[in-house]
Amino acid sequence: MVIPQPPMIDRHGEPVDILLVEDNPGDVRLTREAFKQGQINNTVHVTTDGVEAIDFLCQRNEHADAPRPDIILLDINLPKMNGDEVLETIRGDSKLKNLPVIVLTSSSAEEDIIKSYELQANAYLTKPVDPVEFIETIRSFQQFWLSVVVLPPYDEQ
């Protein structure tokens, strides 16, 4: 018999804020669906290009009131500013550099994997083509990164 677990919350008693940086509406829908099915209380914020992601993280323009995410899911293949450039910007900013960034992309190219880790991605996940496998990948991410891993505290330097 499986005993349902209460929704997980972060160390402050609030839902976990996730920034999903993804330009494919189908992948956004599948990701939201997977999180909805999980047992972790979270809020998924979506930006659809690299420039918008940086605006969200820096609370600029239409994202002036954006919350600081606890974790970022980042696609590599983005318009305006690609995922590598976003990751490089995050790691170069003293207020953002400790944010966990998980690359979630369709690329399984070795050079993309190496580049992401060189830019200090915390993990690299390849999106399965099959929707059921995609949802399972997100659920596995959710179970590990939001239930097991201790996320870093927000440093307001």
Side-chain angles (χ1 to χ4, degrees):
M1 179 173 145
V2 176
I3 300 171
Q5 298 294 314
M8 292 291 293
I9 52 177
D10 77 0
R11 63 199 156 276
H12 304 294
E14 298 295 323
V16 175
D17 276 302
I18 300 162
L19 175 59
L20 173 62
V21 187
E22 174 61 66
D23 63 323
N24 181 320
D27 289 349
V28 170
R29 183 184 53 76
L30 284 173
T31 303
R32 285 185 186 273
E33 175 72 21
F35 279 117
K36 197 180 296 183
Q37 292 176 13
Q39 292 294 312
I40 297 173
N41 189 8
N42 63 68
T43 304
V44 178
H45 307 275
V46 177
T47 58
T48 58
D49 65 60
V51 172
E52 184 184 7
I54 296 302
D55 283 351
F56 185 98
L57 292 168
C58 294
Q59 299 175 314
R60 297 189 298 224
N61 301 321
E62 70 266 15
H63 297 290
D65 295 328
R68 180 190 185 274
D70 296 295
I71 196 161
I72 300 168
L73 283 173
L74 177 66
D75 190 12
I76 290 179
N77 303 308
L78 296 168
K80 298 184 183 178
M81 175 188 259
N82 70 37
D84 290 340
E85 294 167 317
V86 171
L87 186 52
E88 193 168 20
T89 301
I90 291 168
R91 294 305 185 231
D93 185 308
S94 64
K95 292 182 180 180
L96 303 174
K97 68 181 180 184
N98 291 330
L99 275 172
V101 178
I102 311 306
V103 173
L104 178 64
T105 187
S106 56
S107 174
S108 58
E110 188 174 312
E111 60 268 15
D112 288 338
I113 297 167
I114 291 168
K115 177 80 171 185
S116 291
Y117 282 116
E118 284 176 348
L119 293 172
Q120 301 176 9
N122 296 88
Y124 190 101
L125 301 175
T126 303
K127 298 177 198 171
V129 176
D130 179 68
V132 173
E133 290 178 19
F134 183 92
I135 288 174
E136 188 54 40
T137 297
I138 297 300
R139 290 165 116 186
S140 296
F141 155 81
Q142 184 179 28
Q143 185 63 33
F144 179 73
W145 280 96
L146 304 181
S147 295
V148 177
V149 171
V150 176
L151 299 173
Y154 179 41
D155 185 9
E156 295 189 56
Q157 290 181 351

